[in-house]
Amino acid sequence: MLLLLALYACWGSAIPAMKLMVDTIPPVGGAALVFLLAGIVLAGVARKRPRPTRRQVRTLTIAGVLLLVGGQGLATVALTAVTASLGAILAAAIPLWVVLLSGLTGVRSTIASWIRLVAGFGGIVIVVLTAPGSAIGGAPLAVAAFCVAPILWAAGSLLTANVERPLDRVVASAVQLLAGGTVLLLVALALGQLDPGRWADISWTSACAAVFLLVFDSLVGFMLYTRLLESAPAPLVSTYAYITPLVGAAIGATVLDEPLWIGAFVGGALVLGAVALELRGR
């Protein structure tokens, strides 16, 4: 139980930490460095583990780009404008997108699943349409980006789930982190975010948030998740999908002093309720 609570804390605080990081650190460049450093550490841990095949590496590379560039990278950029609380609620829809994309690839869903999907996405609509300007930051494109990011993350998750087995989890994560981090580094270079002048006025808060993301989100969180998958029932472990958004929204509202509005409670309850019922149903 303590390991599960630790996972909630590590992954639940990720979006607020990302928000603090991008306050003074270029978002794409910061994300690139975090993922690359985490990938290097995991690659060192995985040195003596079974190596993946070329086909596995190719699939994991594509999945890593979807997850870390399209998913988390896009969310990191969006957090320069929107609040962490809003981001956490929007990110909660990832399991719903997984179900929807699975249906588009031929996996049949029950009527109950479709009802849950409608309820969950209806909750997202409520959250977005009722969000005050202080939550959106006057940047509707950032909100749109945070709505697209979970779709790309879900696509990367599905691709990862369909990689040929057997496959070592540490090796797979190292490949994905290195692939996603490398692409983000190239994007950051193209955008001029690696210019030393852009890094001259970094605050200690942003720097500590980046270190937190490296240690607790990318490394400790991953190790906790892997350990739990090996020692705890999968349905119990899957509860992170609807607990961590609550943690993120709570940290945003209390620690970062971000606004919460009635639509966030109503829409968030619909999203998290749909996710919880869907995971329980499966």
Side-chain angles (χ1 to χ4, degrees):
M1 189 61 182
L2 288 177
L3 292 179
L4 190 60
L5 291 175
L7 181 65
Y8 293 161
C10 287
W11 282 359
S13 55
I15 288 181
M18 289 162 61
K19 178 67 176 176
L20 290 173
M21 181 184 77
V22 301
D23 186 40
T24 59
I25 291 179
V28 180
L33 293 179
V34 168
F35 295 145
L36 278 175
L37 288 173
I40 291 170
V41 171
L42 286 184
V45 173
R47 278 183 308 168
K48 297 182 180 180
R49 294 173 181 255
R51 294 188 177 184
T53 64
R54 289 184 179 180
R55 187 171 180 177
Q56 288 174 323
V57 169
R58 184 167 59 250
T59 304
L60 288 169
T61 297
I62 297 171
V65 172
L66 285 170
L67 289 166
L68 303 178
V69 180
Q72 200 153 349
L74 195 58
T76 304
V77 173
L79 281 169
T80 58
V82 303
T83 62
S85 302
L86 176 61
I89 297 171
L90 296 179
I94 289 174
L96 300 178
W97 283 113
V98 170
V99 176
L100 183 59
L101 293 179
S102 297
L104 295 177
T105 58
V107 178
R108 299 189 65 178
S109 297
T110 64
I111 294 177
S113 284
W114 283 109
I115 293 174
R116 290 190 285 266
L117 285 174
V118 171
F121 288 125
I124 291 294
V125 171
I126 291 173
V127 170
V128 172
L129 292 183
T130 61
S134 53
I136 296 176
L141 286 179
V143 178
F146 225 126
C147 289
V148 172
I151 303 174
L152 299 175
W153 184 276
S157 300
L158 282 175
L159 198 56
T160 302
N162 289 307
V163 178
E164 291 179 341
R165 298 297 192 266
L167 178 66
D168 185 88
R169 292 182 186 275
V170 177
V171 172
S173 292
V175 172
Q176 290 178 322
L177 283 165
L178 290 172
T182 300
V183 173
L184 281 170
L185 193 68
L186 294 174
V187 174
L189 183 63
L191 295 175
Q193 292 195 8
L194 299 184
D195 185 337
R198 299 285 299 272
W199 297 73
D201 298 319
I202 295 174
S203 68
W204 277 105
T205 300
S206 293
C208 289
V211 173
F212 179 91
L213 287 168
L214 169 64
V215 175
F216 291 99
D217 178 39
S218 298
L219 296 175
V220 175
F222 164 75
M223 289 186 287
L224 287 168
Y225 182 63
T226 303
R227 176 71 179 276
L228 283 164
L229 286 176
E230 295 171 349
S231 60
L236 180 62
V237 180
S238 69
T239 57
Y240 83 88
Y242 51 89
I243 297 298
T244 52
L246 289 174
V247 176
I251 292 175
T254 55
V255 178
L256 303 184
D257 197 27
E258 295 177 343
L260 280 179
W261 59 102
I262 187 64
F265 289 102
V266 175
L270 279 172
V271 175
L272 296 175
V275 170
L277 290 174
E278 184 63 30
L279 291 174
R280 183 178 180 182
R282 288 174 180 268

